[in-house]
Amino acid sequence: MMTIRLGLVGVGKIAHDQHIPTIAASPDFELVATASRHGSVEGTPSYSSIEEMLDGPETIDAITLCQPPHVRYDAARLAIASGKHVFLEKPPGMTLGEVAALAEQAETAGVSLFASWHSRYGAAIDDTRAWLAGTTIHSVKAIWKEDVRVWHPGQEWLWEAGALGVFDPGINALSVLTAILPRRFFLTDATLEFPENRAAPIAADLTYVDTAGVPVAAEFDFRQPGPHTWEVHAETAAGTMLLAKGGNELWIDGVLKTTAPEAEYRGLYDQFARLIAAGKSDADTTPLAHVTDAFLRGVRVPVEPFHY
């Protein structure tokens, strides 16, 4: 397959930390242009908007969108209408309806749309799914806790009405649960803690059950100082399982079974290349649907104000 010429929109922390080095190392992609209000990549043509980038002289085959989700739909719609394949950072949109509309537009335009969930590409995800499929699960609990000041410094958009708050990392846990568990699960109870001065939650306590009656729970918190916790615990007939480091280590009864260096974004770009080559899309919104259910059903509890 020929090299896919890529435009990157939104040159912020996640782009610098993950996308740019992954693209540079990929055999499938070449970064040929960027569009961002504040960031750029040395040696790569840069523009202040996606409109300017699309009007530039560079030939672009595909576009990765890394800007905040509340402005992503318009950019994705424009890219699709211009005949570009589109990679959506997580979450893929502000609403389920947005992503469904983009999927229809991509199909009509004959381009690939990829709603990426990076945690599903953790080194231990496949082994964990296979291990759980071979035993009887008694209970499952995801714990996703971190310090928002470390991981999202000064990102005020995260707290706006319609934004995800703690579900921005929490949706990673939901993407993992929906990847490793053998059956669908659904929400039965939820408590969401909202700072008095914010329109998005800072913590969430979620209770689920799967279609076989197995209890599934999740705890998300943006207020954990020090090291983060990104884990899934399961009690099963075959022993106690721990999926640690966001999906990159599998432990069974305290024994490490699977580990490898983090390569989630390499997995994402490999999948994007495969989708483009096959003329297919992958626009799964199941994790976002679980977030929507939490906002719909959750009891909102006010807590102390949050300030950076």
Side-chain angles (χ1 to χ4, degrees):
M1 187 174 73
M2 295 180 62
T3 301
I4 301 165
R5 294 159 295 195
L6 188 73
L8 175 66
V9 180
V11 186
K13 186 177 188 302
I14 191 65
H16 281 293
D17 289 351
Q18 298 290 354
H19 290 268
I20 294 166
T22 302
I23 294 164
S26 171
D28 300 307
F29 293 92
E30 176 189 2
L31 184 62
V32 298
T34 66
S36 181
R37 290 182 298 171
H38 306 295
S40 63
V41 177
E42 185 176 357
T44 302
S46 62
Y47 300 89
S48 61
S49 69
I50 186 174
E51 291 87 354
E52 291 183 5
M53 185 176 75
L54 290 171
D55 286 339
E58 294 79 23
T59 300
I60 297 173
D61 304 309
I63 291 178
T64 293
L65 300 178
C66 291
Q67 73 275 63
H70 63 276
V71 298
R72 199 172 294 153
Y73 172 80
D74 286 339
R77 178 185 55 80
L78 182 60
I80 290 169
S82 300
K84 315 304 181 188
H85 308 289
V86 175
F87 178 122
L88 301 169
E89 243 298 350
K90 65 88 186 173
M94 289 289 285
T95 68
L96 297 169
E98 281 185 7
V99 185
L102 291 174
E104 289 182 355
Q105 293 163 27
E107 183 176 6
T108 299
V111 299
S112 296
L113 179 69
F114 183 32
S116 69
W117 302 104
H118 66 83
S119 293
R120 287 181 172 176
Y121 291 80
I125 293 295
D126 290 343
D127 287 349
T128 302
R129 181 192 304 112
W131 192 84
L132 288 173
T135 186
T136 299
I137 303 171
H138 300 315
S139 65
V140 180
K141 186 171 187 177
I143 302 172
W144 239 253
K145 299 181 178 182
E146 62 188 55
D147 186 344
V148 66
R149 293 181 175 89
V150 172
W151 290 93
H152 299 276
Q155 295 183 12
E156 295 289 344
W157 64 267
L158 196 62
W159 303 100
E160 296 173 359
L164 296 187
V166 74
F167 283 97
D168 187 80
I171 205 170
N172 294 335
L174 295 170
S175 73
V176 168
L177 290 175
T178 53
I180 65 174
L181 296 183
R183 294 174 295 272
R184 286 186 176 271
F185 57 93
F186 55 90
L187 189 71
T188 59
D189 193 22
T191 300
L192 311 182
E193 297 186 10
F194 280 72
E196 293 177 349
N197 62 332
R198 301 291 180 173
I202 198 167
D205 189 0
L206 310 166
T207 302
Y208 301 90
V209 66
D210 80 0
T211 54
V214 174
V216 179
E219 291 184 6
F220 306 150
D221 204 319
F222 253 163
R223 301 166 298 191
Q224 176 164 288
H228 57 269
T229 303
W230 299 334
E231 298 177 347
V232 177
H233 301 256
E235 295 298 331
T236 80
T240 298
M241 183 216 81
L242 167 62
L243 179 62
K245 295 187 177 179
N248 288 291
E249 286 187 357
L250 172 62
W251 298 74
I252 305 297
D253 289 332
V255 178
L256 181 62
K257 297 294 186 178
T258 301
T259 187
E262 181 182 326
E264 295 173 3
Y265 278 80
R266 174 60 188 269
L268 289 177
Y269 276 95
D270 287 349
Q271 173 66 355
F272 191 33
R274 287 191 292 267
L275 290 170
I276 293 171
K280 296 181 178 180
S281 290
D282 178 359
D284 177 32
T285 56
T286 308
L288 184 59
H290 281 297
V291 174
T292 301
D293 286 350
F295 277 97
L296 180 65
R297 183 158 186 173
V299 176
R300 301 189 176 205
V301 177
V303 295
E304 63 275 5
F306 170 80
H307 300 282
Y308 280 107

